[in-house]
Every structure is written in structure tokens, then in C-alpha cells.
Amino acid sequence: MFTKILLRLFLCVWFCRALPSVAQTTIVNKPIERWGLYEVALAGPSSGNPFTDVQLTAEFSSGDKHITVTGFYDGNGTYKIRFMPSEIGKWSYRTVSNAKQLAGKSGSFVCITPSESNHGPVNVWNTYNFQYANGKPYYPFGTTAYAWTNQPELVQEQTLATLKKAPFNKIRMCVFPKTYSYVEEEPTMYAYEEKSRTQGPNGTIRHEWDFTRFNPAFFQHLEKRIADLARLNIEADLIIFHPYDKGRWGFDNMGMKNDLFYIKYLVARLSAYQNVWWSMANEFDYIKTKPRDAWDVYSKTVVDADPYHHLCSIHNGSDYYDNWKPYFTHVSIQNGSTVDDFGRAVLLRDAYRKPVIYDEVCYEGNLPQRWGHLSPEEMTEAFWQGIIAGTYVTHGETYRTPGDTIFWAEGGKLHGQSPSRIGFLRNLLEQEPGPLELADPWKDHRTSQADSSHYLIYFGKQMQSEWLFNLPKKGAPAAGTVFKAELIDTWNMTITPISDTFRLTDVKDYRVYDDKMQKIRLPMRPYLAIRLTQVKQ
Amino acid sequence: MFTKILLRLFLCVWFCRALPSVAQTTIVNKPIERWGLYEVALAGPSSGNPFTDVQLTAEFSSGDKHITVTGFYDGNGTYKIRFMPSEIGKWSYRTVSNAKQLAGKSGSFVCITPSESNHGPVNVWNTYNFQYANGKPYYPFGTTAYAWTNQPELVQEQTLATLKKAPFNKIRMCVFPKTYSYVEEEPTMYAYEEKSRTQGPNGTIRHEWDFTRFNPAFFQHLEKRIADLARLNIEADLIIFHPYDKGRWGFDNMGMKNDLFYIKYLVARLSAYQNVWWSMANEFDYIKTKPRDAWDVYSKTVVDADPYHHLCSIHNGSDYYDNWKPYFTHVSIQNGSTVDDFGRAVLLRDAYRKPVIYDEVCYEGNLPQRWGHLSPEEMTEAFWQGIIAGTYVTHGETYRTPGDTIFWAEGGKLHGQSPSRIGFLRNLLEQEPGPLELADPWKDHRTSQADSSHYLIYFGKQMQSEWLFNLPKKGAPAAGTVFKAELIDTWNMTITPISDTFRLTDVKDYRVYDDKMQKIRLPMRPYLAIRLTQVKQ
């Protein structure tokens, strides 16, 4: 009887930002917010190998909607099923399992209107952009801390404190630990059960893993961090594989069977978290143990296993993957040259016809390596070059300071000067009525518009003492329309109103001008922009 | 008996450059060069509608090679089957037809070693480049004369005379006539039988066509011109559909059934010509009568019907097509901004992982339209920007001169100053041991190399008084390697040897230098380049 009670126990977990962590709340049948996380815990077999022996799924139904999700073994005889309801109303479920204890279990809950800060998962919107499930635009302003969840707890807490004050709403992060220049820490937990540990001749530790048995504590911890990020409104761009293992742990070289087993377990655990994005790999082409074709198999496995179709991409080293393939919702590019001058970022957007995020464009820092010493001005300009072209850019920081961690891999504190400027740009973009794009993309790489009433013109490194008011005829409003202007210093983060207004002429040779051919005086400083807003009359 | 003799008669036609035209030679059983054109002519039914009623194919066999080709009706009771043998040796064929007169005909010929000027059809080579079937590299240096075969005969002859002296080895040309600014001529022949012709209220002619009956004379003429081009070693990049009809003839608006019927007839007639490339469309997205999906159907039809797998691409207006699709052997892009500054051309190459030809980058000319008034310097620089980035660029000329045709659409004479400079670049490239590509494509957009012994460094519009000898470490040879240098003036077409030689240092911060840190003095002129060649010691 006690077993029966235990079996009927399920943990309903609010995933909304007001609550501390997934693993804590246990109020039975509490309503779940739309896009929140509902969790069922069931007692089941703990003998044999529960990871490989037991199959468990549940069908969740509401009206004529039916969604099948896969459960997973969470250790200590406990199995879990997680579900993210996308529709308000009553949902019920029923389990299917090859284990008698787990089969035919059922239950229900009510899904309610989400709280104000819960916008749902992010989806692709209008070919090149993103929005939350509730329709609010989402402009990715990401940062990078590859192995932050594999650092000491204190550093992880510091990372969260840093992110709380930073302007970023996405973070690129790996599941597995990283070994690389400036990143040498041994993690405190591993994703797998360790079969044995031996010490090599030069003191290096050789681990032997049981790739058929996961370590639930490792994943519980990862989930806690993903929930922490959700509370900060930060999307977790989760990197499933990466090449920064180099034989130290062997997680990049488990073979296809174990890779697929890992992918399915990961997706079963995490897909009900609204802020998860799947990044199939960082620098996929540098993972020499996996042939190029394997990424089709892996990507398809993720997409097939994820009932919510979270955003999914694959990130390159030197060679781009086939980003047009249907598994990939958007394009995640490494190539700093795309955003270090005008006219480049838009080219890949046009080619792929998907949202493009330049997820690695070198990092602000002081490393000798050329990928690790962008000036803060360069990092900031990269964001502007991406944004005006209707694409997005991701930040990373590689300052090596005595006694401190290096944020790009380990998290910790930020030391750079670009984050505040990136936040300034983010505010500007969020004030626009929609995403920007170049008005005349083949001929004018500076003039961006949200619509025919809202322009942002960026000058980058080019300094000039004045700007003749002129706009492309493409996307311009009718002659007679009046604009006000503001001078923006993107580095000093100032917005200075211009006292004149400007009244459009008819088109003259592909451009429109102010009817008095007015100019705006510019200070001789780089990184300026002009914002134009139509004056309603 | 006479009929029987007639039936057995087949016309074997040399396609090699030494012979004047496809339609002339009639020596029975004369050997055919490898990649030459073998033609069988058979008498068959002329009643009913021979275009729709009669099916005719032939299987050509040589050893264990079997290739099925489709025949076509060529008017006056004559049916033809054309075949391009790709292997030396004896070939035999046997026909299959639903018409008794055409069924079960057989014959044979011997395929021999090609003459020196016959390199065979062009194929993709090594992901980003092209070569002829005989292994000779092919670097596309194309030009544009969209409707040249639909102009008066005298103009066509003038076009051929112009091309004979020009540096171009590819031409973009349409099957159907064109109506557009500066192009108003009514062609002398049409692709279809005309059912009726009426005059509209304002004098415009309204044609009514029988889209089930082709006009063989139109296609015979087109073939004659394609053979003329072959003799000049020029590839015919044949545009199957285009939007420049605007209701005048209706060839852009025949409906899918007639479109497919036309495609199959065209491919049956032309695929045995070694210098044919299929361009599915010019500015496909401006042909508003065909939905985007239709291009998959059309492209697949071409590829399935062409037993030789000629090069096939689709050319865009504003929106790129899905160039990664398997029908497309290479990428044919319109976008002038890709080659008017450094660092752009390579981006689409990396994205598509196919050869990229920037087939429309605006034209050298004097039109008021911005697509029609590149300076000759800009047209020349576009070629350099493309070539150093491992891509290719196509020329077009839009000078409007009194009493003369406009080359870009009609052919005729060339007046511009870029062709000789393009020829100079073509010579330089053909002197290299292989195609160029950027040595360090994300960080150095000027330094191109054919291999670690051959560099071409281009300065474009940037003028500087000296150049410190330095190369990227990527792709550089070992320290101690010695180079000689030449200063190239790409506009004045001069090559000036530099008297010093340069000995490489070890790598210093991603670059290698001359061991005496020598510089090369540069004249203060734009459009310079430096050629470096390893000195064997």
C-alpha cells in the first residue's frame, strides 16, 4: 500500500521564475503555467541496468492534442517523466512501459495562464528572426561560458551573479567538461558512472566509464543551472558535443551507439525546460572522431526525440555544416570576419534563408591568440554590424587576470568594456517596433530599418564631419514624411536629439533627401549612429 | 527499298571545332571524336502531331556502358537522335519507338581520341572549381548577351566576331527573346508554331502559339549558334526561362505542362552538345507566373532528361534559390556587393560548398540605371575580388552608343575597357598551377595562393607606398624558402619584376616575413597586385 502511494506520488513543479529550483517543489496537482514544467516521479525497478532495460513513455492529452514524451531513470529506483504544456486547460497522461511497475500510470493537471515573465520557448519568426511562444520578439544577445557548470560551485554562483547584471539573454554552454588552453579544471561530477580510474606514468588520470549508466546527479545539477538561467530570462544554448576533450575523458569519442544513447537521455531529461536550445556541437568539424555524415544522424535523433521542437543548430570550426538541412532551425556561425566590416553579415542570411547568429566572432580579451584579443570596441562593433544587417552576434570574454577565471570557458566575473555597450544596443533594438534589416542590402550597408518610420544608420569606424540626410528609396515612406533624428554614440552610450526635422523629397536616383538638403553635423569620433523616427503629423 | 535505304541513313556529325556546323557533314560511319556529337536521322511519321504522338529513344552501348537518349522530331518527317560518346571505342545503338518506322533501328560508330582543342564538357572539380572532362582546368570568365541569338543575322555574326577576339570562355544567353529597356527587337523566328497573329488597338502584336508544336528551324538556328560558340571554346550558359517577356510573347507564362514539354524537347535536342550548361532561369524570382516550388520540378526534369549531367544552376533576382539542392552543380549568383569590396565573395563559397560564379554583378556601361553603369575599373576589380577569393565573376556591358546594339542583351560590338583587363587576369590565372583561394580566409582577404609556392596579393582600391613582405602562416612553406616577386598593375596590365628575393622566417604571430624584413616599394596607384613565386634552389 505504501508502495502504491509512492507510485501515485508525482511532483508537480512550477518552472516559472518565481520558484527556486526544479528539484524542490512537491505540491501535488498544483496548476502548471503554460510552458511550465510538469514532472511525474514513479518508483520502478532498480536492479539490472535501469538505463538500458526499462522503456517508459507517457501520452499527454488535452482535447484533441496528444503528445508522447519519453521518461528517464533518475537513480535510486526513481523514474521521471517531464512535460511542458503548450496549451491552457486540463491535461491528463497515461504511461506505457515494459516494466510492470511503471506501465499504465495516469494522472492529470490543469495548465493555467503564465505569469508575466514567462513568455514560453523561443521560436523562429518571419524567416530571419525569433519570438517567444507568446508572440513577444526575442532578439538574441548571447554570451559564452562553455564549461561554467563544470566549475567549482562558488564560481558557478559567481557566474549567475554576473549574468544577473549583464545584458545577455542567451548563453552558449557545454554539457561535457572542457580541457583547453586556460581551462584545466577537473569537474567535480561526471555524466557517467566511473568503472575504474588509473594514473598514467606522467600523473595523468585515466578514467574508464560505463557508457550504459549515466550519473543522475550530474544531470540534476545541469538542470538546476538551466532553471537558474530561466529565472534570469536567459536561454541555454546547450552544446551536446565538443572537441575539447583530447583524450582526457573520452566524451568526444564514445562511438555512435553511445552517442545516440546519450542524446536520447539528454533530450528526455531536458526538453521540457522552456529555455533549452540544442546546439549539436561546438566546432563540429574539429571533432575528428565523428564523420561529417554522423551529424545528420545525431541531429535527426535530437529533433525526433524532442516533442517541443526547441531551436536546434550546429556550430562550425573552419567548415560550415549544411545549415539548410531541416533539423536546423537557425544558423550558428563561427567566423569573425562576417561582422568586422560592412556588407558581409547579410550575405549568409540571404544564402541560408534562416535566422543567422554569428555565435563566435572572436572574444574581447587579452590573450596572445588572435581569437582571444578583440578590443572592446571591436567586440561592440561586431554586434552593431550584425544587428543592422538583420543578424545576431554572440559575446565572449577572454581576459586572463591574476587569480580569476576566464569567463569564456569557466564563467566567473566579466571584466570587459563591451557588455555595457551591448546592453545599450539591446535597449535600442528593443525600442524599435521590430527587428532591423538593411533597407537596400546590395547597395547601402549602413542604413537599417525596422519599418518605413524607423531607421538606424551606423557609421562604424568611419569618421565624417557631417551626414547629408538621405535614405534608400527601397522601403522609404512617401515624399513629405517628416523625421526627427538623434545622434547616437555607440561607445559612449549617449543619445543626443538633433533639433532639426527632415521632410522627405521624391526619389532622386534611388535615394530620398530632406527637402532643404539638410545635413547633420557629426563629431569626429568613430562608432556613431543616427536614429530616425517618423514624426506623426 | 528506297524507303529502307532512307531509314538506314544516318548523319554522323563531327562536333569538333575544325568543322563548320552541325547540320552539314553527312559522311556515313565516319569516326566520332570523344565528346563529339553523333547524330542519327530517321524518317518517320509526319501526320498527326509528331511532337506529342511519337516517342523515340535509343540505347547506346559500348562494352558494359549503356546510355539511353531521347530523340526528337525535327520537322519534315525527320526524327533525330543525338549522342555524345564519353568513351573511346566502338558504340552501337538500337532504337525504341511507338512508331513502327522508327522502332528497332540500329547502327554503330567508332569513337576516337579527341583533337587537341576538344577538352570535353566542363565538370565540377574539387568542390569549388571546374575542369574539362580531359582534366584540363576550366576557369570561367564569362560574359552576357541574353538575346543575341534572337537578333538580326548580321548582329549575330558581329557578336561571334567580337567573341573571337574577347577573353571570354562562357556566355549567358537565353533561349527565348527578351523585351526590356533598350531591347525591343522582334525576333525573326519563334520557338513555336504560330496559330494566329492579331494587332491590338495600339499597334501591339498578339501572338497565339501552339505550345504542342515546336518550330524546328528556331532550334536548328540555336544549335548552330551553340556550335559556333564551341568552335570559339565558349561554354553556352543557356537560360531556359526568364522574366523579360511581360506578356509580349507569353513564353514565361505557358503553364507547367507546356513548360515541362519545352524542357524535355530542349534537353533532347541539346544535351549532346558538349558546351551546353543549363541555367534554369535568369532572375527566377521575378518570373511571377511560376511558384518557387516549381523550380524543383523543372530542375529535376532537366537533370533527369540529360544523360551527360551538364552543369546546371539557377540564377536569382533579389532572393537566392536553394542552391544546395542536388540538381545544382554550382551557384550562379546575382549580387554586385559580393565583389565590390574585400572579404565578401568567399562567404557564399563557404556556405554553399559548391563552385560560386557571381554571374551578375552589374555591368560596365553608361546607363542611368545603377545596374548599368559600372566604371571599367569597377568591373575589373569585381573580377579580381572574385578570383582571389576562389570564386568566379561574369562580365556584362551596357554602353548605349548611337546606332549600335547594347552588348549585354543583343550582342554586337564591345566598347568597354574592362575586357582586356579581364583577359590579362585570365592569363595570370592560367599561368598558376591551379585555382586560387585565400590562404587565411577569415583574417586576410588580400593574400591568395594556388599552392604554397604561388601567391597573388591584391590591393584593390587601397593605395600604399610600400608592402612589408609577409604571408599568413596558414598554407605557407617552411622557413628558408625563397620567393621572387613581381609587381602587377592590374589596370595598366604590366608585370614588373622586383630585383630582390625574399627568404621566409619562422612563424611570428600567425605570419611569416622575409628574414631581412624587406619591403616592396609600390607606386601610388590603385589596383595593384604582387605575384610571388618560389625560387627553386
Side-chain angles (χ1 to χ4, degrees), chain A residues 292 316-320 322 324 334-338 341-344 347-348 350-353 362 368-371 440-443 445 474 509-510, chain B residues 292 316-320 322 324 334-338 341-344 347-348 350-353 362 368-371 440-443 445 474 509-510:
Chain A
R292 190 172 169 104
N316 64 289
S318 303
D319 295 330
Y320 303 159
D322 308 327
W324 49 82
Q334 170 174 195
N335 183 347
S337 80
T338 55
D341 205 350
F342 288 97
R344 297 179 190 164
L347 293 176
L348 292 187
D350 287 349
Y352 287 122
R353 299 170 60 84
C362 305
Q369 289 91 338
R370 65 186 186 178
W371 51 261
D440 188 7
W442 293 1
K443 288 288 181 182
H445 297 120
K474 280 193 184 178
D509 194 24
Y510 300 95
Chain B
R292 190 173 169 102
N316 65 288
S318 304
D319 295 331
Y320 303 159
D322 309 327
W324 49 80
Q334 171 174 195
N335 183 346
S337 80
T338 56
D341 205 350
F342 288 97
R344 296 178 190 164
L347 292 175
L348 292 188
D350 287 349
Y352 287 121
R353 299 171 58 85
C362 304
Q369 289 91 338
R370 63 186 187 178
W371 50 261
D440 188 7
W442 292 1
K443 286 291 181 181
H445 297 118
K474 279 193 186 177
D509 196 23
Y510 300 95

Side-chain angles (χ1 to χ4, degrees), chain B residues 105-213:
Chain B
K105 304 301 162 198
S106 61
S108 66
F109 70 95
V110 173
C111 173
I112 59 169
T113 305
S115 56
E116 212 179 322
S117 64
N118 174 2
H119 309 299
V122 173
N123 301 307
V124 169
W125 176 69
N126 214 357
T127 310
Y128 298 112
N129 296 288
F130 301 95
Q131 64 179 12
Y132 290 103
N134 73 351
K136 182 182 155 74
Y138 171 81
Y139 304 115
F141 280 80
T143 187
T144 311
Y146 288 126
W148 78 277
T149 60
N150 286 299
Q151 302 308 310
E153 279 294 311
L154 214 65
V155 178
Q156 294 180 44
E157 292 300 333
Q158 198 176 56
T159 305
L160 289 169
T162 299
L163 291 172
K164 194 173 180 179
K165 291 179 291 181
F168 304 113
N169 60 9
K170 175 172 97 77
I171 189 164
R172 286 186 61 73
M173 54 187 278
C174 303
V175 176
F176 291 126
K178 171 170 180 163
T179 192
Y180 205 75
S181 316
Y182 320 112
V183 199
E184 299 293 341
E185 290 77 2
E186 191 67 24
T188 52
M189 276 190 290
Y190 302 96
Y192 291 97
E193 263 187 34
E194 194 164 3
K195 288 203 284 193
S196 69
R197 186 181 292 207
T198 49
Q199 205 146 354
N202 51 358
T204 55
I205 293 165
R206 302 293 308 167
H207 305 271
E208 200 190 343
W209 310 106
D210 183 348
F211 287 129
T212 71
R213 290 177 183 268

Side-chain angles (χ1 to χ4, degrees), chain B residues 449 451-455 471-483 504-507 512 534:
Chain B
Q449 65 174 184
D451 59 27
S452 64
S453 309
H454 296 83
Y455 287 86
L471 297 171
K473 84 170 186 185
K474 279 193 186 177
T481 304
V482 176
F483 281 90
L504 290 198
T505 59
D506 285 325
V507 173
V512 293
Q534 188 179 335

Side-chain angles (χ1 to χ4, degrees), chain A residues 12-17 31-39 82-87 109 111-115 118-121 271-274 308:
Chain A
C12 302
V13 179
W14 277 82
F15 185 64
C16 79
R17 284 73 207 248
I32 300 293
E33 285 195 10
R34 190 178 184 190
W35 308 303
L37 190 151
Y38 178 75
E39 186 176 274
R82 290 176 179 156
F83 178 65
M84 177 176 72
S86 59
E87 303 289 340
F109 70 93
C111 173
I112 58 169
T113 305
S115 57
N118 173 3
H119 309 298
S271 61
Y273 286 76
Q274 68 166 237
Y308 314 104

Side-chain angles (χ1 to χ4, degrees), chain B residues 280-298:
Chain B
M280 292 310 306
N282 220 50
E283 301 189 320
F284 82 91
D285 47 322
Y286 295 166
I287 308 178
K288 298 300 181 196
T289 53
K290 302 187 206 306
R292 190 173 169 102
D293 304 1
W295 296 104
D296 281 334
V297 180
Y298 294 154

Side-chain angles (χ1 to χ4, degrees), chain B residues 300-363:
Chain B
K300 194 169 180 317
T301 302
V302 167
V303 170
D304 289 349
D306 171 9
Y308 314 104
H309 308 301
H310 286 281
L311 295 174
C312 180
S313 67
I314 185 166
H315 181 81
N316 65 288
S318 304
D319 295 331
Y320 303 159
Y321 199 67
D322 309 327
N323 288 302
W324 49 80
K325 291 200 168 169
Y327 337 114
F328 306 122
T329 52
H330 65 283
V331 180
S332 170
I333 289 283
Q334 171 174 195
N335 183 346
S337 80
T338 56
V339 286
D340 71 4
D341 205 350
F342 288 97
R344 296 178 190 164
V346 70
L347 292 175
L348 292 188
R349 180 183 131 125
D350 287 349
Y352 287 121
R353 299 171 58 85
K354 289 184 180 180
V356 175
I357 307 181
Y358 294 106
D359 261 323
E360 201 176 334
V361 297
C362 304
Y363 308 114

